[in-house]
Amino acid sequence: MFRKTIVATVVAASLLTGQVMAESITGVINDENGKPVAGAEVSVVGENQRVVTNSDGRFVVSNLRTGEAELHIEARRFGHRNFHFTVPEQGLADVSLTLLSSTIEVIDVTASPFHASATESSLPVSVLAGDALKMRQASTLGDTLKNEVGVHSNFYGNVSSSPIIRGLDGPRVLITQNGLDAGDASRIGPDHSVASETSTATQIEVLRGPATLFYGSGAIGGVVNVVDERIPTDNTTRAEWMLQGDSVNDEKLASGSLVTGVENVAMYVDGFWRDNKSYKIPGFAEAEPEADAVKGRVDNTAATAKGFTLGGSLLLDNGFIGVSYGRLDREYGIPGHSHGSHEEESHDEHAAEEEVYADLTQNRLQLLSELNSATGFIRSVNTKLAFTDYQHAEIEQGEVGTTFKNRSHEARIEILHRTLLEWRGGLSLHYKFSDFEALGEEAFTPPSETEMLAVGWVEERHIGNWLLQLGARIERVTLEAPNVLLPELTAHGHDDHEGEHEDEHDHGDGTEYIRVFDVKQRFTPYSLSAGTVWDFTDGYNLGVSISHSQRAPSAAELLSFGPHISTASYEVGALFVQDDEAFVLNNQPVELEKSNNLDLTLRKFSGNTGFVLNAFYNRIDNYYYQQNTGLFAEAGHDHGPDAGHGDEHGDEHSDEMPVYLFAAADVTLHGLEAEYVWQVNDPFKLTLQGDYVRARLQSGGDLPRTPPLRVAAELAYEQDAISADIRATRYFKQDKVAQMEQATAGYTLLDASVSYRFDVGMQELTLYLKGQNLTDETARVHTSFLKDVAPLPGRSLALGLRGRF
């Protein structure tokens, strides 16, 4: 009915028009109550034209070609809409278009080459932006996003937490900065911090499910894209800043950003400083504390960080080209990674704990450009380049123990064409190179170089009420490691070798190696995707996405062979195979990981209520995961506060770690995600959400560290200068566990915040108070490697002031 009304209005306008500008569309945009919508953006699909409605809701789009045309309309607090027209030679005048108000915030997703909103994608997407992002920002990316539907955190003692999407993380979830790989070492270990700062971000986008078409096989589980304005696309002067203090860890935060410029030059600068002590907890850090354990704090979780970014753009008539430089420095403790410190002849019952911390530095250069063409088949060429030099050293006893380096460069060129047979889209050329190196006594993976070259193709078109989306991508991935070591390792089970291992294989001054060899692996993964969004009635749509994605295993998954202290395990890569209680080279070919994914999404985004319901099914063949071998191996030196001592009789297993082998198995992940929003009245809004994922081995059993069932309710108030909210989140007991893994009890977290806005001169200021875990509950995160030694922080109160102009 609504589309029939649009067609009738267009026909009437064309019949009644008098003198109209040739090949143009003029009109007005109203809401469902007939009131004009000011500031709405009107763009021509497949072209480079974009105009904004005036205070009366009126717009003019000129220089259109005769024939078919499609307009895309978007405005804050309204659902985005597309309108199709047949434009005669004399053009169209006084077109009346209607937008439907939305209780769900609709924000453009920059991670897509089409910059579509979350409600226009066949694949589930969520965006955290604006005041919501400012209130949820935390020192780590995982903790910032932990309340998003379908996203959990692998909480690593509040110092290094990464997001988990639908039970997948590590090398399957890509972390990007403005669309390009963050270039850090966070994908190989939970103790490696993500090199992105959330306090200066404008929005964070989460693509749930395979996003390999745009980002490559490293995004087989999803993408988290951190967006800021380091390369500005306009020079309107604006600034934001924030000051905050937190009680639970005595955190102090100061950050700010500024965009300005003159004539056709835009400039950007940001900076931040963050410092905190070890965080407080309501009880003991250990799940089973020793008799002399001290409660109230998780040791070695202090951190300090600082950084800045400088950027500039040349604004052209047909686009922009800009560059930026960013510097990040961070020092943070590594909880659970302390070493026993004692004299050889000491008979103390417990060794003193020695602090271990990471010293991280990243330098990043980035170039972004968008060049549009007014004529010809190619309408736009978008270029993204990044050069990243990342390093972090793990410091023990004031000396560098292990150093991780990652030097990477990446280039992506998107060539978008004009609408052809009502299809819009284009080609993507993508190149990425990474030179990764780990040196030191805990370098569990050898130096390696990974190179990827890919070409991708994406298209979409509207057919009536349907939006069709198609895509394909093929890659060439090369992994080279010139110095892979196969150490002499005698692993054993405790039952078979009880008490014998202390005297086995004493290598004296160094480790003996069975073999040193070169590795060169080549892979050709490809991805295919088809999706549709059906607007079956006003304010509702149904999205369906089917994809086949492939992923080459990472260097860490293939080549690891050594103790990984942060995960308290001895890791052996898939290039090796278990032979009784030893490990030898695997003569079988390395297989690609293959994912077949189905996503169903039902949305309601208009009126006083809205919801998003997702169901997904993901079958992954040759899924690489760490399989517990049941064996134990020596770590190489004492770890833990009790390392080498134990009780008065001595603990013969104190310097041992369980051996985990990266094995390939067929798995199935399926689950549900739901979010419901009800605008109760003008000031009050109720949000309900929940998510559930089940991760199973096809041969029987469950995958480790799978997020538990979670439900949440939030009541928000906003009127005049005051905003407030209260949120309760229930994490249920997780007893669907892998072999040798323990169940984790459920818990409930209560959070709340209140804000007061006021003006001082040209600035809009916001004074806020937010509290987390207000009931001071002891909560252990099932997805964390440190759940038994580092629970979530206790009651936290943060006071802050932020401003903008």
Side-chain angles (χ1 to χ4, degrees), residues 269-321:
V269 61
D270 75 29
F272 79 95
W273 174 79
R274 189 191 296 267
D275 182 82
N276 65 267
K277 299 178 182 178
S278 294
Y279 68 87
K280 303 170 186 174
I281 53 175
F284 292 97
E286 294 79 10
E288 298 180 1
E290 300 288 341
D292 60 347
V294 179
K295 68 177 182 179
R297 193 178 294 272
V298 176
D299 292 329
N300 214 19
T301 54
T304 183
K306 60 183 178 181
F308 70 90
T309 306
L310 300 174
S313 298
L314 182 63
L315 307 179
L316 308 173
D317 293 337
N318 65 330
F320 70 92
I321 180 170

Side-chain angles (χ1 to χ4, degrees), residues 18-39:
Q19 196 71 17
V20 183
M21 179 182 291
E23 300 173 340
S24 67
I25 299 177
T26 65
V28 63
I29 298 177
N30 297 314
D31 63 17
E32 58 265 64
N33 298 317
K35 296 181 180 179
V37 178

Side-chain angles (χ1 to χ4, degrees), residues 11-64:
V11 172
S14 61
L15 292 175
L16 295 174
T17 184
Q19 196 71 17
V20 183
M21 179 182 291
E23 300 173 340
S24 67
I25 299 177
T26 65
V28 63
I29 298 177
N30 297 314
D31 63 17
E32 58 265 64
N33 298 317
K35 296 181 180 179
V37 178
E41 291 190 356
V42 183
S43 58
V44 182
V45 174
E47 300 290 340
N48 300 315
Q49 294 192 57
R50 182 182 293 260
V51 298
V52 178
T53 59
N54 62 18
S55 58
D56 296 323
R58 301 197 65 82
F59 69 93
V60 178
V61 178
S62 56
N63 299 321
L64 294 174

Side-chain angles (χ1 to χ4, degrees), residues 43 90 93 220 226 357 387 393 444 475 531 558 590 612 693 730:
S43 58
Q90 70 272 25
I220 199 169
V226 182
Y357 67 94
F387 301 88
F444 59 92
E475 301 179 11
L558 281 181
V590 178
V612 181
V693 60
R730 175 63 184 177

Side-chain angles (χ1 to χ4, degrees), residues 377-425:
F377 180 67
I378 304 300
R379 74 170 181 89
S380 182
V381 177
N382 304 327
T383 303
K384 298 182 179 182
L385 304 174
F387 301 88
T388 306
D389 185 0
Y390 170 93
Q391 174 178 309
H392 92 250
E394 295 183 356
I395 314 297
E396 309 172 16
Q397 289 185 322
E399 298 181 356
V400 176
T402 308
T403 300
F404 296 87
K405 298 179 180 180
N406 187 18
R407 298 178 183 90
S408 63
H409 47 269
E410 182 177 9
R412 186 162 71 241
I413 301 176
E414 298 167 351
I415 305 172
L416 305 180
H417 64 75
R418 281 193 158 75
T419 302
L420 177 65
L421 300 177
E422 299 189 23
W423 288 92
R424 66 165 180 160

